[in-house]
Amino acid sequence: MRVIETVNEMARWPRTGNIVLVPTMGALHEGHRKLIKTGKALTQGEGNLIVSIYVNPTQFNDKEDFKAYPKTSEQDYEMCKEEEVDLIFCPSDNEMYSERESVSVIEKRLARHLCGSTRQGHFDGVCTVVTKLFNIIRPTTAVFGKKDYQQLAIIKQLVSDLNFSIEILGAETIREQNGLAISSRNRFLNTEERKQCHAIHKALVEMDLSNEKQCSELITLGKSIIKSEAPLGRLDYLEIVDRQTMEPIQTIDRPALAAMAIFFGNTRLIDNIEINSL
Ligand code: AMP
């Protein structure tokens, strides 16, 4: 397994066959492992699987959150070796951003709701760094998790709007036994918070299983489950949106997404569920 830290070296690296990229911020867990396995299968034994590990400062709207972001390089490398990753690209901030940089990628529509409305500039930072990674690594395919569903929708839009010839694949969310979506941030939860977090997935599943078509009723249902089973949680948002445009909808009359962000202490967790109209 090669480890490359500079843009120049990455640019010179010889490419053949499918080049599959799994972008991450490190602190790898079983959710990332699933993306890596999906990526490995796509190389069909002849291409190359690249995992990028970079904690991108421009997508953090909260400096403390950026500083506290976990770093576990040794374990990350171990997991990549176990999964037969061909190359890790792990640049420094100086490699990724020059002091004189003044051009970035702005997302104007899909970021208006959900995480985009409460995390100002977050998706512009994501779009900019993903554009840079795509240009530096030049993958044929990139794999993103449905756990960050709005991010996945925005990356698909970015590839279409900026004419990248890259196939974007969405991988299913990997969960702990109690349904909690695995996240690098789960380690910040205390025992009581951890117990209550099962309510996030439970609320979303109950919303999906209910035959209710009125979104306001579904949201009321989800909120009541959070209130009774996760009293330590502070909802950032619980919304139902069109799966493609990320615009809020009134009734389940098209492929929809119920998405939630919730704080436990300072830890902000997100999750979602696809709700179909039939
Ligand atoms: P991150 O390192 O948090 O930026 O995540 C890197 C990629 O892993 C993103 O595409 C995420 O959507 C994906 N991811 C994070 N957590 C999970 C999970 N529990 N299951 C599946 N994919 C995930």
Side-chain angles (χ1 to χ4, degrees), residues 22-26 28-32 34-35 59 69 143-148 151 171-175 181-184:
V22 177
T24 80
M25 298 203 298
L28 301 184
H29 52 61
E30 293 306 304
H32 297 114
K34 166 76 182 171
L35 266 62
Q59 71 190 67
Y69 203 83
V143 188
F144 290 83
K146 286 189 183 179
K147 172 169 176 289
D148 299 87
Q151 170 173 277
E172 297 302 327
T173 301
I174 303 300
R175 303 177 178 282
I182 299 179
S183 161
S184 315

Side-chain angles (χ1 to χ4, degrees), residues 68-97:
Y69 203 83
K71 292 185 182 61
T72 61
S73 317
E74 274 181 32
Q75 289 101 305
D76 293 352
Y77 290 8
E78 272 315 303
M79 182 188 289
C80 288
K81 266 194 208 148
E82 282 163 22
E83 299 305 327
E84 297 176 32
V85 169
D86 297 291
L87 192 159
I88 294 178
F89 179 58
C90 50
S92 64
D93 288 342
N94 288 342
E95 276 295 315
M96 289 299 278
Y97 294 101

Side-chain angles (χ1 to χ4, degrees), residues 2-36:
R2 275 284 291 277
V3 178
I4 292 186
E5 295 178 1
T6 68
V7 172
N8 267 341
E9 206 181 336
M10 190 66 239
R12 289 201 312 269
W13 187 70
R15 290 153 177 80
T16 44
N18 280 349
I19 306 294
V20 182
L21 170 65
V22 177
T24 80
M25 298 203 298
L28 301 184
H29 52 61
E30 293 306 304
H32 297 114
R33 194 192 289 276
K34 166 76 182 171
L35 266 62
I36 293 171

Side-chain angles (χ1 to χ4, degrees), residues 145-150 173 175 181 200-201 204 257-260 270-274:
K146 286 189 183 179
K147 172 169 176 289
D148 299 87
Y149 211 101
Q150 189 175 20
T173 301
R175 303 177 178 282
I200 301 172
H201 184 54
L204 292 166
L257 183 81
M260 185 189 311
I270 58 170
D271 202 352
N272 61 71
I273 198 162
E274 291 173 332

